[in-house]
Amino acid sequence: MSGGIALLERAVTYTLGALAAVTPDALSRPTPCAGWDLRALLVHLNDGLVALHEAVELGHIAVDPPPGDRPGDGADLVSVVRANATGLLGAWTHAEGPGKVMIADLPITAAIVTSTGAVEIAVHGWDVARACGVRKPIPDALAEQLLPLSALLVTDQDRPVRFAAPVPLPASANPADLLLAHLGRDPS
């Protein structure tokens, strides 16, 4: 489980850096995800952070979470995302940890849950930076570890509903660009 937590920590740290670029004016900007603005992306990112926190605290993730309070706009939205990101790290770091996390009636190892969370958080951190007009590449060492996970986690069955088609790149591209391209983002 510690490997997944370490990945999660590095992904959250990267994304916290990207959040520093968010201004209230940027919330209506488009993101690399077609049809999403930065506000919607931050709400989605926050939902993922809450689900990952639920996994460690409760040992399960609700497939259809009950409707709850959504974070506000502007500085409030970014503050809520930051607080949930740092709270998530604290919860996983100090957890004696569930060995398994239930998603519906399917048991998943905690390491898979944290590793999946790391992929999502890091890539959405890149999305945030890009929407804010900031060049903040995912660190190659992190991307090298996330890339093989993304190949296992995102398949053709996930496209085009959850992810866009992969963007063709030469195999010699750097790991961060290959990760982004696999997940349907144009790294250029």
Side-chain angles (χ1 to χ4, degrees):
M1 188 166 79
S2 63
I5 294 171
L7 278 177
L8 187 64
E9 180 179 18
R10 291 166 52 210
V12 166
T13 300
Y14 165 77
T15 296
L16 287 171
L19 289 171
V22 178
T23 64
D25 292 340
L27 293 175
S28 61
R29 289 185 187 164
T31 70
C33 303
W36 287 55
D37 65 11
L38 183 55
R39 177 181 292 108
L41 174 65
L42 290 172
V43 169
H44 170 74
L45 175 59
N46 190 65
D47 288 347
L49 294 168
V50 169
L52 288 166
H53 200 122
E54 184 179 287
V56 69
E57 292 291 323
L58 304 175
H60 70 81
I61 297 174
V63 175
D64 294 316
D69 292 335
R70 283 301 207 2
D73 269 344
D76 284 347
L77 176 56
V78 174
S79 294
V80 168
V81 173
R82 273 192 195 114
N84 284 331
T86 56
L88 171 69
L89 279 183
W92 277 102
T93 301
H94 295 100
E96 293 175 19
K100 302 271 187 208
V101 174
M102 298 299 292
I103 301 177
D105 60 350
L106 183 64
I108 305 290
T109 67
I112 290 174
V113 171
T114 54
S115 297
T116 302
V119 171
E120 179 167 353
I121 291 167
V123 172
H124 285 325
W126 182 85
D127 293 336
V128 168
R130 184 54 62 106
C132 293
V134 174
R135 179 160 162 64
K136 185 170 182 57
I138 297 171
D140 280 344
L142 176 59
E144 282 175 6
Q145 291 183 287
L146 298 178
L147 182 58
L149 292 170
S150 72
L152 294 172
L153 298 169
V154 179
T155 65
D156 289 340
Q157 289 78 16
D158 295 307
R159 303 174 200 278
V161 176
R162 292 178 48 224
F163 294 90
V167 174
L169 286 182
S172 61
N174 70 53
D177 287 353
L178 290 170
L179 172 66
L180 295 166
H182 174 71
L183 298 175
R185 288 150 171 89
D186 184 350
S188 63

